[in-house]
């Protein structure tokens, strides 16, 4: 049902946000398949990481700006801590304009730094956030923002 609301929101040009369980599971399956092919251990979902990721995607949407820095000056580690996650390592991938999860994952895997984050041996958990709004931002990029947060607890 949430996926239908998300799609309708995009089609009707209404702002949409998602921490949809189906999207989360699809992301986890894709990540773990990629990690398995590289000989890396699988990740598990963490709701605190997803909350941090969703909040950052919404923040980027509101600002029409792709950035690892939040409106309040926060960095990824500060946002993960604020979400109540005590971490020993944390990483973040952000993306804009990708129309679906597969495009976002493909884009990240073709970027060396993002790929390194996905394949990092020092992370064990993950969260995903997505936010969409009507129209385009500078550069004629759709207002579709993705945040992937990877971490390991202390």
């Amino acid at each position: 049902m949430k996926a239908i609301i998300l799609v309708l929101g995009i089609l009707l040009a209404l702002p949409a946000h998602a921490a949809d369980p189906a999207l989360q599971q699809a992301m986890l399956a894709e990540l773990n398949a990629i990690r398995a092919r590289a000989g890396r251990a699988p990740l598990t979902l963490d709701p605190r990481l997803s909350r941090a990721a969703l909040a950052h995607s919404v923040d980027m949407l509101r600002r029409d700006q792709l950035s690892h820095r939040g409106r309040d000056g926060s960095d990824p580690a500060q946002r993960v801590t604020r979400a109540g996650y005590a971490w020993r390592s944390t990483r973040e991938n952000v993306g804009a304009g990708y129309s679906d999860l597969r495009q976002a994952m493909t884009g990240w895997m073709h970027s060396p730094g993002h790929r390194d984050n996905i394949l990092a041996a020092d992370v064990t958990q993950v969260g995903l956030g997505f936010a969409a709004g009507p129209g385009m931002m500078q550069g004629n990029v759709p207002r579709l923002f993705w945040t992937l947060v990877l971490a390991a607890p202390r």
Side-chain angles (χ1 to χ4, degrees):
M1 183 65 170
K2 288 182 184 178
I4 293 169
I5 292 169
L6 173 63
V7 171
L8 286 176
I10 292 169
L11 293 177
L12 298 174
L14 300 172
H17 319 309
D20 179 15
L23 184 62
Q24 299 279 325
Q25 290 300 318
M27 175 272 307
L28 184 63
E30 181 75 15
L31 275 178
N32 284 336
I34 289 167
R35 287 176 62 88
R37 287 191 297 272
R40 296 285 190 246
L43 303 173
T44 60
L45 280 171
D46 185 278
R48 296 165 296 182
L49 297 178
S50 290
R51 280 195 305 275
L54 177 59
H56 189 58
S57 289
V58 170
D59 180 57
M60 290 188 294
L61 173 66
R62 289 181 179 151
R63 294 182 295 137
D64 273 343
Q65 182 180 18
L66 179 67
S67 177
H68 289 287
R69 181 91 28 215
R71 174 184 305 228
D72 62 359
S74 62
D75 64 28
Q78 290 169 321
R79 290 189 294 275
V80 168
T81 300
R82 208 182 295 157
Y85 190 95
W87 54 272
R88 67 177 156 81
S89 71
T90 185
R91 297 163 179 266
E92 179 183 81
N93 287 359
V94 295
Y98 300 121
S99 63
D100 59 35
L101 178 62
R102 183 157 307 274
Q103 279 188 4
M105 293 298 294
T106 299
W108 288 330
M109 290 304 291
H110 285 94
S111 164
H114 293 112
R115 178 183 169 83
D116 289 349
N117 287 345
I118 288 170
L119 296 176
D122 68 343
V123 296
T124 59
Q125 297 181 306
V126 64
L128 176 74
F130 169 75
M136 301 289 191
M137 59 183 188
Q138 190 172 12
N140 206 33
V141 176
R143 296 180 66 230
L144 307 169
F145 292 90
W146 299 85
T147 305
L148 182 71
V149 177
L150 303 113
R154 261 189 265 178

